[in-house]
Amino acid sequence: MPPIFEITHKACAGRIGRLETRHGIVETPTIMPVVNPNIQTIKPSELRKFGAEIIITNSYIIYRKPELRERARSEGLHSLIGFDGPIMTDSGSFQLSVYGEVEVNNVEIVQFQQEIGSDIGVPLDIPTPPDVQRARAEEELGITYTRAKEALGLKKDMLLAAPVQGSTYPDLRERAAHELSQLDFDVYPLGAVVPLMESYRYSDLVDVIVASKKGLSPAAPVHLFGAGHPMMFSLAVALGCDLFDSASYALYAKDGRYMTVRGTYHVDNLQYLPCSCPVCISHDAGELIKSENREELLARHNLYVTFEEIREVKQAIKEGSLWELVEQRCRAHPQLLNGLKRALHYSDWIEQFQPVSNSTFFYSGPESALRPEVVRYRKKLKNLKLGGRVLIRMRRTGNEDDFDWVLDFKPPFGPYPIELKETHPFNAETTDEPDYESLTAALQNTLELMELNPDSEFTLVLDDLPEHPLMKEIKNYHNA
Ligand code: GUN
Ligand code: ZN
């Protein structure tokens, strides 16, 4: 059987993939707009126009209401919702996490999803919140695992998602992911991350994503449950998330909030509309604020910018500039920047997925000094077997012929053989004046190269550099 998920392009730990469902193929990364079976500000049949390839709804809301339940059973989910593409259904676990209980058990809700023709079903997992006691997280993980396994036994032609829980314990997340990936699930959502996103805890979110990804097969599609703000898509995609769902576009609209990739504005504070979607070119800020349809117009705008960002992310994957996009987007909020900084702790992990690229590395700030490409080069230094007289220079010196090796010095990489000047990543576009972090990385690599080649005689021509404490260490080493 061909795999239901096929990866076609990669960048960082992110990818473009094709997910096959009974109602068609979905290109990932993508976002599934949340459709409420009761209230629909925007008709599901209209969602394709915004870019939606798949939507998500809640089977528990349908199940709970006899009229909807019977209609779903007789005419099927797709007809009930009014969308003929793929539909994922959630199970009621979210209601479980908010209200503490639901009037349905795992077997009933999984069978119901199967019966009404859901494309991707979800068992009744337990969304363990962040920061709970470890014992509770472990106990609830056990229940989630048992229910996921039980659901697998009931599954017929529906794809089945196995939520990865484990609260804010990275080892539990990794273990849960690993255990679930031993079974034959089709999609792996990372659960109970909404509270982290609501409180802007992006560095904890990064820990959760990376720990879970470490336990999963890299070939598995991963869904970040409840992630709907476009400003964080690129970061989550770069860490290997493929599917998102958004109720945010509608919930934000209800509160009068206007989404942009730079953050969220309250519509009452807008004097201009910094967007060119159909809503924003046909209204000015004053009209939007006063409109009777304000909520619907905001929901539409929010959906447009959400899908615009998905396309931006996919384009960045194809051209190999995803990391640049992540660095730009994470400047939208200091907490997102914390998320980026935390992601850089995992550069080593990201580096193993990152394909060797033909694109140009753009240095875009101190975080670039810790990018996976820099980490990869550091690891490769040991393969650079030098001997004899070695020149490390920032500019032509004129006496290059006196040396056995001539290395260019370029922050954040440090010394590299001049023959590689035009190749990735050494053809990087960098600033003329290196920042502190970039120089640190470059000088660390210089020291390491000197230590790796104790028999070589190094000559360093590194004038015009700002002062840096590592410079002294290099000089001492040099003179020893
Ligand atoms: N929606 C948001 N978070 C979750 C989760 O952890 N599990 C399920 N089933 N749905 C969710
Ligand atoms: Zn707009």
Side-chain angles (χ1 to χ4, degrees):
M1 229 175 40
I4 64 130
F5 185 59
E6 188 190 347
I7 293 168
T8 60
H9 298 80
K10 298 186 196 178
C12 310
R15 54 273 185 95
I16 290 184
R18 287 159 46 95
L19 178 68
E20 209 177 316
T21 77
R22 276 186 305 158
H23 282 82
I25 291 170
V26 173
E27 186 177 80
T28 64
T30 197
I31 177 143
M32 304 180 275
V34 173
V35 170
N36 183 330
N38 289 312
I39 330 153
Q40 295 168 0
T41 349
I42 300 171
K43 276 212 210 69
S45 59
E46 242 197 286
L47 288 169
R48 276 187 202 281
K49 184 181 83 184
F50 294 88
E53 296 181 38
I54 173 172
I55 62 171
I56 183 168
T57 189
N58 193 310
S59 63
Y60 176 62
I61 295 178
I62 300 171
Y63 185 85
R64 201 174 47 185
K65 212 166 171 177
E67 177 217 325
L68 291 178
R69 179 167 64 205
E70 291 326 310
R71 270 187 62 202
R73 280 195 167 130
S74 57
E75 63 188 82
L77 175 69
H78 292 76
S79 158
L80 175 79
I81 298 291
F83 186 76
D84 58 8
I87 306 182
M88 179 171 179
T89 44
D90 201 355
S91 57
S93 293
F94 190 67
Q95 283 71 14
L96 184 70
S97 72
V98 177
Y99 306 109
E101 58 181 326
V102 285
E103 300 154 27
V104 70
N105 68 34
N106 186 48
V107 172
E108 286 163 347
I109 200 67
V110 173
Q111 272 173 347
F112 182 65
Q113 293 173 69
Q114 175 81 62
E115 218 180 306
I116 62 178
S118 170
D119 291 282
I120 309 175
V122 180
L124 195 65
D125 58 309
I126 305 204
T128 310
D131 315 313
V132 302
Q133 298 248 314
R134 190 179 169 92
R136 172 173 166 198
E138 282 190 305
E139 190 192 324
E140 293 182 352
L141 256 189
I143 302 172
T144 294
Y145 180 80
T146 308
R147 291 182 182 175
K149 212 168 162 176
E150 185 176 50
L152 210 49
L154 302 169
K155 166 183 143 148
K156 296 188 190 119
D157 44 8
M158 170 176 80
L159 301 181
L160 192 61
V164 176
Q165 299 289 348
S167 184
T168 26
Y169 296 96
D171 62 315
L172 294 186
R173 289 274 181 180
E174 184 171 348
R175 193 175 84 200
H178 181 74
E179 285 171 2
L180 291 170
S181 67
Q182 302 306 303
L183 303 172
D184 202 14
F185 295 102
D186 304 294
V187 176
Y188 293 86
L190 313 184
V193 290
V194 171
L196 294 178
M197 292 183 288
E198 281 175 348
S199 49
Y200 282 69
R201 290 171 59 182
Y202 290 109
S203 34
D204 291 329
L205 178 67
V206 166
D207 285 341
V208 165
I209 296 174
V210 175
S212 309
K213 286 286 297 186
K214 281 182 178 171
L216 293 172
S217 154
V222 174
H223 169 195
L224 192 63
F225 245 136
H229 202 299
M231 72 180 179
M232 49 87 59
F233 291 162
S234 57
L235 176 63
V237 169
L239 298 174
C241 297
D242 307 294
L243 290 164
F244 300 89
D245 62 274
S246 174
S248 309
Y249 75 94
L251 296 174
Y252 277 52
K254 217 184 184 67
D255 291 344
R257 288 187 289 167
Y258 178 102
M259 289 172 154
T260 79
V261 288
R262 297 189 55 227
T264 310
Y265 295 97
H266 197 282
V267 65
D268 292 339
N269 299 328
L270 282 175
Q271 274 94 52
Y272 306 94
L273 300 180
C275 170
S276 306
C277 80
V279 172
C280 298
I281 53 169
S282 55
H283 298 79
D284 64 25
E287 286 165 355
L288 181 60
I289 291 167
K290 288 196 224 85
S291 170
E292 279 174 27
N293 292 334
R294 175 167 128 162
E295 182 179 336
E296 183 190 336
L297 292 172
L298 279 173
R300 287 176 183 273
H301 158 82
N302 289 344
L303 261 186
Y304 278 118
V305 294
T306 297
F307 281 101
E308 177 176 356
E309 182 64 358
I310 290 287
R311 292 190 296 275
E312 186 90 71
V313 168
K314 290 202 287 196
Q315 179 62 30
I317 295 175
K318 285 213 174 162
E319 72 176 28
S321 63
L322 181 59
W323 199 259
E324 279 81 0
L325 183 63
V326 173
E327 290 193 359
Q328 288 170 21
R329 293 299 187 244
C330 287
R331 283 181 164 67
H333 193 285
Q335 291 296 355
L336 260 179
L337 192 53
N338 277 340
L340 170 63
K341 287 178 188 289
R342 186 66 59 90
L344 289 167
H345 290 239
Y346 303 110
S347 269
D348 233 354
W349 173 79
I350 296 170
E351 187 268 332
Q352 54 175 326
F353 302 105
Q354 167 103 328
V356 177
S357 162
N358 303 319
S359 63
T360 311
F361 175 124
F362 275 30
Y363 193 85
S364 43
E367 289 76 26
S368 297
L370 300 169
R371 275 176 61 152
E373 291 89 338
V374 181
V375 170
R376 173 178 286 170
Y377 181 54
R378 162 115 2 125
K379 284 197 215 156
K380 285 198 170 158
L381 283 177
K382 63 178 184 310
N383 304 335
L384 196 57
K385 299 261 184 306
L386 304 173
R389 305 192 64 204
V390 182
L391 172 66
I392 299 179
R393 56 160 213 196
M394 286 205 61
R395 52 173 174 81
R396 285 192 69 82
T397 55
N399 62 343
E400 275 82 358
D401 289 348
D402 300 343
F403 294 90
D404 301 297
W405 286 87
V406 179
L407 306 178
D408 259 344
F409 180 87
K410 180 169 183 168
F413 304 103
Y416 70 91
I418 48 170
E419 294 76 15
L420 301 178
K421 197 178 178 64
E422 304 301 332
T423 65
H424 184 85
F426 306 108
N427 61 350
E429 291 285 349
T430 59
T431 52
D432 293 340
E433 290 185 35
D435 55 33
Y436 186 85
E437 288 77 1
S438 177
L439 201 51
T440 304
L443 293 174
Q444 275 169 347
N445 282 359
T446 308
L447 255 179
E448 184 152 330
L449 194 66
M450 291 167 84
E451 284 164 8
L452 285 165
N453 295 277
D455 300 329
S456 298
E457 186 194 319
F458 287 88
T459 301
L460 281 70
V461 180
L462 304 178
D463 32 358
D464 295 340
L465 282 179
E467 291 212 6
H468 192 288
L470 279 177
M471 213 46 146
K472 201 179 281 165
E473 253 182 77
I474 289 175
K475 281 189 186 134
N476 288 343
Y477 188 87
H478 201 44
N479 297 331

